[in-house]
Amino acid sequence: MKNTIRIERAVKNITQAELAEQVGVSRQTIHSIESNKYIPSTVLAIKIARIFSKPLESIFILEDGD
C-alpha cells in the first residue's frame, strides 16, 4: 500500500514529529509508514486522514496484490 503522507505533510508544513504527536504515535512510526515499511491500523489511518482533511483513500492507495 502506497501513501501520500510525506506530500500531505509538506503541503501542511508539519514535521513527522508534529504529525505523530497529533495522532498519538512516535515519529518513528510515521517514518515507517511513509517509507512503506509499516501499514497502519485502521484507526491510525483514519486519524491521519482527518489531520489532512482528506478521504482515507486519497492518503492510502492500494496497489496490485494488496
Side-chain angles (χ1 to χ4, degrees):
M1 178 167 58
K2 297 188 315 185
N3 68 75
T4 61
I5 295 173
R6 187 172 285 134
I7 294 165
E8 297 298 337
R9 280 193 312 99
V11 169
K12 202 163 177 159
N13 197 29
I14 62 173
T15 65
Q16 287 179 341
E18 290 167 333
L19 176 58
E21 185 177 326
Q22 291 178 30
V23 297
V25 298
S26 69
R27 184 202 60 79
Q28 290 85 354
T29 298
I30 298 300
H31 173 75
S32 293
I33 295 169
E34 285 184 356
S35 301
N36 297 317
K37 295 179 183 174
Y38 175 73
I39 297 174
S41 69
T42 305
V43 172
L44 180 54
I46 291 169
K47 286 180 180 180
I48 291 169
R50 284 184 178 171
I51 294 295
F52 298 121
S53 301
K54 299 267 181 124
L56 189 65
E57 297 85 359
S58 72
I59 305 288
F60 298 96
I61 302 103
L62 286 177
E63 297 181 286
D64 292 339
D66 284 345

